[in-house]
C-alpha cells in the first residue's frame, strides 16, 4: 500500500537488463556512446522531429532548470502555475541556473488558463528597464494536482505565449502519464501544440534517474551542452543513462508503464468512490487527492499504508474530520494492495 | 587495448547485483533510504570520523563544485594547481556554483609545492576590498598527471593553508588509487593530514556515477544539502546511488578495484620500460604519460588501441618523432591486452 | 506643475555648496575620506546606534539589493509586498545580488499585514530542502502607494519576523518623508521597532544620488563592504558622496526637505479635495493617487502638468471617465504651481 | 606633493558649474534627460561613430564589468593582462556580472603581446564542453604600469582577437591620458584599431564619478541597459552624470586635463632623472614607477608627500636600499609641488 510517490517504486526488469547489457566492454564517455545515438534517433522518431536536439540528464530539476536557463535571460521572468514544481519544489534551482531570473506566478489554482496567463504576461514589461522582462512560459503536464491539459488547452496557452513572441517549455516529469491519458502522439502534445522545449521524464515512470531534454529548434543544442557541463550534469559514464532511456523507449515500454500506473490509479479511484470518498482532485493520470476521516487515515497508516496527507495534520483533531491526502500510483503497484487499501477506506 | 580513460570501462558485477537487490519494493526518496544510512555509517567508520557529514552526488564535477561552494564565498579565490580538473575541465562549474569566485593558479607544473602555495596566498588580499579575498585550497589526489602526494607533502600544504586560516578540499576523483599507492588509511590521507572536505570518487573506480562528499566538520551538512538540491543534484530515487556506493565499500571492493587498476598500470609501465619507452610522468597510480614514435602510435591505433595523444597531433610530422600520450588503466583491463600493447610498442 | 516623481527635482543649494567645499585639495579614496567619518558619526548619533555600520552607495536599488544580499542566502526567499519596489522596479536586481534568491509576495494590496506575513512565512519551508528556505522580510516605508506604517504596525510585522528568527530590512527610499509624517525618532522607526537593516534614502529627498545602508548589528559590515566593491558600487572619489550626505544631515536639512515635500502634498490634497477629487490612496507623506475625468487630465497635460496616469490610458475613452494618477511632491515645488494645478482640476 | 592616485584630486570648476547649471528645474529621470542626448551626440561625433550606443555609469568597475558581461557568456573566459584592473582590483566583479565567467591571464608582465595572446587563446577550448569557451579580450589603455599601447600594438592584438572571432574591450579608465600621449584620434585608438567596446573613463581625469560605456555595434545597447539597471547602476537623477560628462567633453576640457596630467608627469620624470632616480616603468602617460633609497622615502613622507610604495615596505631595511614606488599625477598638481618633490629626491 505504497502511494507516497512515483519516485519510490522499483524499475522494471528491462532496465536492469539494459544496464547489464550496456556494461559490456568499453564505451566513449560524455555522451559519445553508441547507445546515445540510438536514443537520439528513437526520440526524434517518436516525436516526429528529425532535427530536434536531444540531451540526457539525471534529475527532473536539472532538466527543467537547464531547459529554462537556455530559453531565458537573467533579467526575465518565467511564467508558471503558482503550484509549479519549478516554483515550489526545486529550492530556487531555476533562479540559480538562469542566473537570477524571476518566476511570475500566474494567478489560479493549478492549471493555468489562457486568460490568466495573458493577464500575467501583460502585467510585466510595462516599465521599460525597470521591471523584469517577459521570458518563457513553463507548463506542467501532468500538473502538480494530477490534472492533464487537453490538446486544446495546451494550444490555447501557447497561442497566448506566441502572441508575445515567447517560448514555451513543458515540464513533462509525468509526460507519459499525460500522453496515455490523452491518447495522442508525442508530437501532438508538444510541437504541434506549440511547445518549444520538453523535459521528458523517465524517473517517475520506471527509470532510476534519467530525463531527456528535447528542443525542437536545434539551435539551442550547443548552449544546452555547455550549460549541462557547467551545471555538473554531464555524466562521464553516460552509457548508463543512455541504456536506461533506450530500454524505456524500446517496444513502447514507457507507454506500457504509464498505462499501468494510470490504470492502477483509475482502479483506486473507482474503489474509493465506491467506498464513498470525496476528492479534491481526481485527474485522469496517476495521482489523486481524496479525503478520508482522520480515524480512517489512522487505521490505514497503522496497517502500513504509506502516503502524504495534504495540508493536514494527523494529530490533534476530531476523528471524523475529513482530511485530504495525495495518493500516487506507480506502474508496480499490485492490484491486491490497491484493493486492500480501498476496502479499509470503505470500512470507514 | 583501451587506455583512454578510467571512465570508459564497465562496472564490476557486484554493482549490478547491488542495483538489482536495491530494486526490490519501495524506498523513501531523496536520501531517506535505508541504504544511505548504511553508506553514511560505513564511510564514517572507514574514515574514523564518527561526526562526518556524508552526501552522495552523481558526478565528480558536482562533488567538487558543491564542496568548494560550501567552503567559500563569491568574493574569494580558490587556490589550485594550474592543471587542476576544477580549472581546466569543468567549464567554469566552480565559478558557477560558488556564485562567481575566482581560481588562483599556484605556479608550477602539476603538484603544488608549499612554497608556491604560500606565495600564491600571500599574493592575494593585500588590497583590502579591492582584490579577491583568500578562499579554500583544493588539492588533487591523484594529480592530473598521475602523481600522488605523500602524506608529508599533503601535510606541508595544509600547514600552509592552516597558517592562513583557510580550509582545504581534496579532489579525490581517484582517491582509492592514491590510497593504495600510499598504503595508508583514509583518515591518514585526509583529516589527519589537515584536509577538511573530500570529493571521494567512485565513478572512475568502478561505479556508474557516484561520488561521496565528506565534510569532517558536520556544520557544513545543511548548507551542502541545500546547495545540492538547488544545483539539481539531489536524486529522488537516491537508493540507486546508495546501492552502488554500498557495494563499492563492502568487503573492500573499492580498494581491490583500485589495486587492480594500479597493478595494471605498473604492469604496463614495466612492459613499456622494457620496450624502451620514455616517460613524461610515470606516477604510482593508474595513469602514465609515455612517449612513442609517431609511427608506433599509428600502428597501435590501427590495431585498435584507444588512448589520447598528449598535446600532440598524429598527422603531419616525421615518423620517428616522439609523441607523448596519456594511458589510463582501469580495474577491468586484461593482462593480455596490456601485453599485446607493450609488445607492439617494443616492435617500434 | 511637476508631479512625476521626487527623483526629477533639483537639489538644494546646500548640497552644491558642500560639493564645492569638498572639492578642495586631495582626499583619500574609497571611503577613507574624512567626511565619511563625520557622516558615520552623525548617522550613529541620529539613530542612537553607536555600533551601527554605515555605508554609502549611489542608488536605491544598490542599497536594497546589497543589504538584502547581506542578510540572505541564495536558497532563501525574501518576503515583501506584491507592489514592493524590489519586486516590480529593480529588473531582478535582488535576484542578481543575492545569487538567485526568490521573492515571496505577501498577499495583499500595498501594506503588509502581520497575518498575511505570518501566512506567507508559514507557507514556505514545509518541504525540507525542496522549497526555498525562509529569508529576510523587506518592509517599504513610505510604501509604494504613499502609505506609512505606524510604529505599532511596524512592530507587529517585526514581531512576526522575529518569531521565525528572520531579519527585517526597511526600504527607506522615502525614509525622511515617513519619519516626519510619524513625528517619531529614527531609532523608534527602526531598531526600536525591530528593524535590522535600513536603506536610508537621500536621492528622492534632495540629493543627487546618495543612499546610506545601515546595519544595527555591525558584524555585517565587512561582508557588505566586499559585496559593495564586487557590485561595483564603491566610489573611488567617495568624498563626493560623503559631502552630499553630510550636507543632508547637517542642521536637520533632511527633515526640513521632507517636511516641505509632505506639506506640499498636504496642500495639494486639500486643494484637490476642495476641487471634489476622489482618491485611491491619500497617505500622509508626499505621494497621492487621485482620480480626475479624462478631459481634466487632457487639459492639465496640455497646460504643462507632468505626472503619470496610474494603470490608465489617456487616449480612447469617454471624456468623463475617471482616471487615477500618481502625484508626487518634492521639496522644491512652488505653492503657486500646486494652486494652479488644483484650480485647473476644480474647473473640471 | 600628492601622488597617491588620480582618484584623489579635485574636479575642475567647469564640472561644479555644470552641476549647478543642470540643477535648475525638473528633468526626466533614468537617462531621459536632455543633457544625455547632448552627451550621446557629442561622444558619437568625437568617436566618428554615428551609430554607437553610449551609456553612463558612475564607476570604472561598473563600466568594465557591465561591458564585459554584455560581450561574454558565463561559460567563457576573458583574456587579459595578469595585472589587469579587472583581475586584481575589482573583487571578482567581472565574475559576478558575467555570471561566473573565468579570466585567463595572458602570460607576461603588463602589456600583452600578440604572441602571448594567441598562445593563451589557443590554449583554451581544445576540450569541447570541458574547458571554458573562448570569450572577449580586454586591453587596458593606459596599462596598470603606466604603459601606452601604440596603434600598431593595439591593431596587432585585435588582429589576433579577430582571427578567433572574439570581441575586444578597451578598459580606458585613463583613456584621455593615452590619447594625448599617442596624439591620435579617439576613432584611431578604438574602432579603427579593432576595438568593439570602450570603458571611456572620466573619473580619474577630473570628474566626480562618471564613465561612459561605448559599443560601436549598437545591437548591444538594450542588453546593456538591462544589465545596468539589474546591476543597480542606472541613476534616477541621471542628469548629474550627464552634466559632468557634458562639461568634460565641452571645448576639449577632457583633453586639456589629460594633457596637464601627462605634462605634470613628464615634468616629474625629468626632475627625477636629473636627480638620478632609476625607473621600473616610466611610460608616457601620467603614472611612473621610480626607485629611491629608503631614507629618501622616509624624508619625503615626513615632509608630507603622499604616494604608495610598490611591493616594498618602508620599515625594517637598510637606509640606502632602493625601494620602488608608484607616482600618479593628476591635472591639478602644482608645478611647485612637483619641483619640491624632485628637489628632495635630489638631496638623496
Amino acid at each position: 500500500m505504497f502511494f507516497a510517490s512515483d519516485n519510490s517504486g522499483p524499475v522494471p526488469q528491462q532496465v536492469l537488463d539494459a544496464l547489464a547489457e550496456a556494461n559490456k566492454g568499453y564505451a566513449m564517455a560524455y555522451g559519445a556512446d553508441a547507445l546515445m545515438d540510438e536514443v537520439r534517433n528513437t526520440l526524434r522518431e517518436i516525436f516526429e522531429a528529425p532535427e530536434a536536439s536531444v540531451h540526457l540528464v539525471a534529475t527532473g530539476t536539472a532538466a527543467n532548470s537547464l531547459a529554462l536557463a537556455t530559453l531565458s535571460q537573467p533579467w526575465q521572468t518565467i511564467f508558471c502555475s503558482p503550484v509549479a514544481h519549478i516554483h515550489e519544489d526545486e529550492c530556487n534551482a531555476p533562479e540559480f541556473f538562469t542566473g537570477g531570473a524571476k518566476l511570475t506566478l500566474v494567478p489560479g489554482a493549478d492549471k493555468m488558463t489562457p486568460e490568466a496567463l495573458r493577464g500575467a504576461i501583460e502585467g510585466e514589461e510595462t516599465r521599460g528597464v525597470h521591471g523584469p522582462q517577459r521570458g518563457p512560459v513553463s507548463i506542467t503536464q501532468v500538473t502538480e494536482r494530477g490534472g492533464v491539459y487537453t490538446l486544446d488547452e495546451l494550444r490555447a496557452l501557447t497561442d497566448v505565449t506566441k502572441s508575445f513572441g515567447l517560448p514555451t517549455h513543458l515540464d513533462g516529469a509525468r509526460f507519459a502519464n499525460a500522453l496515455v491519458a490523452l491518447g495522442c502522439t508525442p508530437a501532438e502534445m508538444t510541437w504541434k501544440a506549440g511547445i518549444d522545449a520538453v523535459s521528458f521524464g523517465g524517473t517517475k515512470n520506471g527509470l532510476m534517474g534519467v530525463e531527456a531534454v528535447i528542443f525542437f529548434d536545434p539551435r539551442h543544442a550547443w548552449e544546452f551542452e555547455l550549460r549541462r557541463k557547467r551545471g555538473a550534469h554531464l555524466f562521464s559514464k553516460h552509457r548508463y543513462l543512455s541504456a536506461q532511456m533506450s530500454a524505456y523507449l524500446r517496444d513502447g515500454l514507457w507507454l506500457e508503464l504509464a498505462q499501468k500506473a494510470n490504470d492502477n490509479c483509475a482502479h483506486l479511484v473507482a474503489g474509493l468512490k465506491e467506498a464513498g470518498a470525496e476528492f479534491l482532485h481526481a485527474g485522469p493520470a496517476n495521482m489523486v487527492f481524496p479525503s478520508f476521516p482522520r480515524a480512517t487515515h489512522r487505521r490505514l497508516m497503522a496497517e502500513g499504508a504509506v502516503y502524504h496527507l495534504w495540508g493536514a495534520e494527523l494529530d490533534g483533531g476530531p476523528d471524523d474530520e475529513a482530511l485530504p491526502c495525495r495518493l500516487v500510483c506507480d506502474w508496480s503497484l499490485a492490484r491486491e494492495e490497491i484493493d486492500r487499501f480501498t476496502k479499509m477506506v470503505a470500512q470507514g
Side-chain angles (χ1 to χ4, degrees), chain A residues 2 5-13 15-16 203-208 257 330-333:
Chain A
F2 204 99
S5 176
D6 38 9
N7 59 31
S8 300
V11 305
Q13 185 60 39
V15 173
L16 291 173
T203 310
K204 287 186 192 297
N205 192 34
L207 299 184
M208 291 179 180
L257 294 169
D330 88 336
W331 65 276
S332 73
L333 278 177

Side-chain angles (χ1 to χ4, degrees), chain A residues 74-140:
Chain A
W75 44 83
Q76 293 180 341
T77 190
I78 297 163
F79 299 90
C80 65
S81 162
V83 298
H85 197 272
I86 59 170
H87 174 60
E88 291 203 318
D89 292 292
E90 301 188 349
C91 195
N92 297 358
E95 287 87 347
F96 175 46
F97 281 88
T98 58
K102 194 186 279 289
L103 270 59
T104 293
L105 307 181
V106 175
D110 174 28
K111 274 189 181 178
M112 293 187 287
T113 65
E115 297 72 30
L117 178 59
R118 179 175 294 280
I121 296 175
E122 284 175 349
E124 300 293 347
E125 205 176 73
T126 58
R127 296 165 180 259
V129 299
H130 298 280
Q133 306 297 299
R134 295 161 176 162
V137 175
S138 182
I139 302 174
T140 314

Side-chain angles (χ1 to χ4, degrees), chain A residues 110-111 140-150 153 178 281-287 289:
Chain A
D110 174 28
K111 274 189 181 178
T140 314
Q141 175 82 317
V142 178
T143 73
E144 296 298 319
R145 300 295 178 263
V148 174
Y149 290 95
T150 66
E153 287 173 335
H281 312 279
N286 66 325
M287 178 165 55
F289 296 73

Side-chain angles (χ1 to χ4, degrees), chain A residues 42-289:
Chain A
T42 306
L43 277 169
R44 285 172 172 173
E45 278 170 33
I46 284 174
F47 277 88
E48 305 168 45
E51 305 291 325
S53 81
V54 174
H55 318 266
L56 299 185
V57 293
T59 70
T61 298
N64 288 338
S65 295
L66 289 166
L68 287 167
T70 303
L71 295 176
S72 67
Q73 296 287 352
W75 44 83
Q76 293 180 341
T77 190
I78 297 163
F79 299 90
C80 65
S81 162
V83 298
H85 197 272
I86 59 170
H87 174 60
E88 291 203 318
D89 292 292
E90 301 188 349
C91 195
N92 297 358
E95 287 87 347
F96 175 46
F97 281 88
T98 58
K102 194 186 279 289
L103 270 59
T104 293
L105 307 181
V106 175
D110 174 28
K111 274 189 181 178
M112 293 187 287
T113 65
E115 297 72 30
L117 178 59
R118 179 175 294 280
I121 296 175
E122 284 175 349
E124 300 293 347
E125 205 176 73
T126 58
R127 296 165 180 259
V129 299
H130 298 280
Q133 306 297 299
R134 295 161 176 162
V137 175
S138 182
I139 302 174
T140 314
Q141 175 82 317
V142 178
T143 73
E144 296 298 319
R145 300 295 178 263
V148 174
Y149 290 95
T150 66
L151 296 186
D152 282 349
E153 287 173 335
L154 285 178
R155 172 60 77 184
L157 289 174
T158 62
D159 279 352
V160 172
T161 308
K162 283 180 196 310
S163 73
F164 291 98
L166 304 173
T168 309
H169 164 254
L170 191 79
D171 175 358
R174 296 187 177 93
F175 187 95
N177 302 93
L179 197 75
V180 301
L182 290 179
C184 68
T185 69
E188 285 168 348
M189 201 169 86
T190 57
W191 62 268
K192 289 186 177 174
I195 303 294
D196 298 291
V198 181
S199 299
F200 176 78
T203 310
K204 287 186 192 297
N205 192 34
L207 299 184
M208 291 179 180
V210 189
E211 317 274 308
V213 174
I214 302 168
F215 292 97
F216 297 110
D217 181 341
R219 87 191 143 92
H220 295 297
W222 182 238
E223 177 173 335
F224 186 91
E225 293 282 325
L226 291 165
R227 287 188 179 277
R228 181 175 62 170
K229 174 65 192 174
R230 189 175 76 115
H233 286 288
L234 175 59
F235 272 56
S236 59
K237 295 187 172 175
H238 188 279
R239 61 168 143 175
Y240 301 108
L241 298 188
S242 307
Q244 291 185 63
M245 184 54 76
S246 168
Y248 186 65
L249 300 175
R250 195 172 305 139
D251 302 329
L253 175 61
W254 65 298
L255 297 169
E256 186 188 314
L257 294 169
Q259 192 65 63
K260 278 187 186 169
N262 287 12
D263 288 351
N264 282 339
C265 198
H267 187 72
L268 173 69
V269 167
L272 291 175
K273 283 192 169 160
E274 205 172 324
E278 306 268 313
F279 287 84
L280 251 73
H281 312 279
N286 66 325
M287 178 165 55
V288 290
F289 296 73

